[in-house]
């Protein structure tokens, strides 16, 4: 394998920008567009898996968004056949593939389709709520319960934990439909895995309250 080519995606932004509240407000990206692009992204992920390929180091810098279409790039690090993907991004690597005794997520086992869907769920949450599952500050009452921030994914101490103070920029997760909220909770605290049920995005509705806070 010498290299690869791909079509140019004009006027695109990396998915990372969709978790930036200031950029979202200035660019006028509607939440409906976010739901549409994640439907499109889910179809692409499923197509890649159907071709017996695993994305591997799946993160918000290897997804380009143009309108409501998501394009996955950096195919040179994808995993297929005997070619394993050995690179990873700590915020998106599945903790089930990492050493649970480490001080931060470090890839220890080969990627699987489930690990791609885990990364998808991370990107979905941060694009909807402006913060990922392990954002914020963990402040346990008991000293014995304290852990380093980078170790929280390995201990499943997510923003759903009652002793985690969520970042101010983060929207309240309770604005999400109950089924979607439950799915995210089970993914990041109960190790639920598998393809994302795209029908959860169909349950979302948008309106603005009297305080100009976006509600789903």
């Amino acid at each position: 394998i010498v290299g690869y080519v791909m079509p140019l995606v004009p006027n695109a932004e990396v998915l990372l920008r969709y978790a930036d509240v200031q950029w979202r407000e200035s660019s006028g990206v509607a939440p409906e567009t976010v739901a549409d692009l994640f439907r499109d992204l889910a179809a692409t992920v499923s197509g890649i898996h159907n071709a017996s390929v695993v994305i591997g180091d799946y993160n918000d810098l290897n997804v380009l968004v143009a309108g409501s279409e998501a394009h996955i790039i950096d195919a040179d690090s994808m995993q297929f056949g005997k070619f394993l993907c050995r690179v990873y991004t700590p915020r998106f690597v599945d903790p089930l593939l990492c050493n649970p005794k480490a001080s931060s997520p470090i890839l220890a086992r080969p990627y699987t389709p489930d690990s791609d869907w885990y990364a998808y769920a991370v990107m979905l949450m941060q694009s909807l709520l402006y913060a990922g599952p392990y954002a914020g500050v963990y402040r346990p009452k008991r000293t014995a319960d304290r852990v380093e921030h980078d170790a929280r994914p390995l201990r499943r101490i997510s923003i759903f934990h009652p002793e985690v103070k969520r970042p101010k920029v983060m929207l309240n997760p309770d604005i999400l439909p109950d089924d979607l909220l439950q799915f995210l909770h089970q993914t990041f605290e109960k190790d639920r895995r598998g393809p994302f049920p795209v029908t959860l995005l169909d349950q979302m509705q948008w309106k603005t309250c009297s305080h100009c806070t976006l509600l789903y």
Side-chain angles (χ1 to χ4, degrees), residues 153-168:
L154 302 174
R155 310 293 188 272
R156 314 305 192 266
I157 304 172
S158 77
I159 55 99
F160 298 112
H161 193 287
E163 294 182 300
V164 170
K165 182 178 177 59
R166 297 193 296 266
K168 292 182 179 180

Side-chain angles (χ1 to χ4, degrees), residues 1-208:
I1 298 175
V2 180
Y4 69 97
V5 295
M6 64 173 287
L8 175 67
V9 182
N11 302 317
E13 286 285 354
V14 290
L15 187 58
L16 170 70
R17 300 297 297 275
Y18 286 73
D20 182 338
V21 62
Q22 293 183 339
W23 179 84
R24 285 275 294 277
E25 290 177 350
S26 64
S27 61
V29 174
E32 294 94 334
T33 301
V34 175
D36 288 343
L37 76 88
F38 272 91
R39 288 189 190 94
D40 185 68
L41 185 57
T44 301
V45 173
S46 295
I48 290 173
H49 292 166
N50 289 339
S52 300
V53 176
V54 174
I55 300 170
D57 185 25
Y58 188 22
N59 60 74
D60 54 10
L61 289 176
N62 65 18
V63 179
L64 293 181
V65 179
S68 59
E69 293 185 349
H71 304 261
I72 296 178
I73 61 172
D74 292 345
D76 56 326
S77 63
M78 290 185 182
Q79 176 174 290
F80 62 97
K82 66 179 181 180
F83 301 101
L84 296 181
C85 175
R86 304 186 186 279
V87 293
Y88 66 96
T89 303
R91 283 195 301 123
F92 299 98
V93 66
D94 187 343
L96 292 177
L97 303 183
C98 300
N99 180 354
K101 298 181 180 179
S103 58
S104 63
I106 300 175
L107 182 65
R109 287 180 287 280
Y111 286 108
T112 68
D114 279 351
S115 60
D116 285 348
W117 288 115
Y118 172 86
Y120 174 99
V122 174
M123 289 182 271
L124 175 63
M125 173 183 271
Q126 68 181 27
S127 297
L128 292 175
L129 301 177
Y130 301 127
Y134 300 103
V137 180
Y138 176 48
R139 293 175 177 168
K141 295 179 180 179
R142 298 196 323 153
T143 303
D145 292 336
R146 294 178 181 174
V147 299
E148 292 294 328
H149 176 78
D150 291 344
R152 282 175 49 196
L154 302 174
R155 310 293 188 272
R156 314 305 192 266
I157 304 172
S158 77
I159 55 99
F160 298 112
H161 193 287
E163 294 182 300
V164 170
K165 182 178 177 59
R166 297 193 296 266
K168 292 182 179 180
V169 71
M170 187 176 197
L171 297 178
N172 190 329
D174 290 341
I175 66 175
L176 298 176
D178 290 343
D179 289 345
L180 176 56
L181 190 62
Q182 180 70 4
F183 174 87
L184 295 173
H185 179 272
Q186 291 178 349
T187 297
F188 301 122
E189 292 216 336
K190 304 299 181 182
D191 293 338
R192 175 176 178 170
R193 296 294 184 268
F196 177 77
V198 181
T199 54
L200 294 180
L201 297 176
D202 299 332
Q203 302 173 10
M204 302 177 70
Q205 297 180 344
W206 295 269
K207 62 181 180 179
T208 304

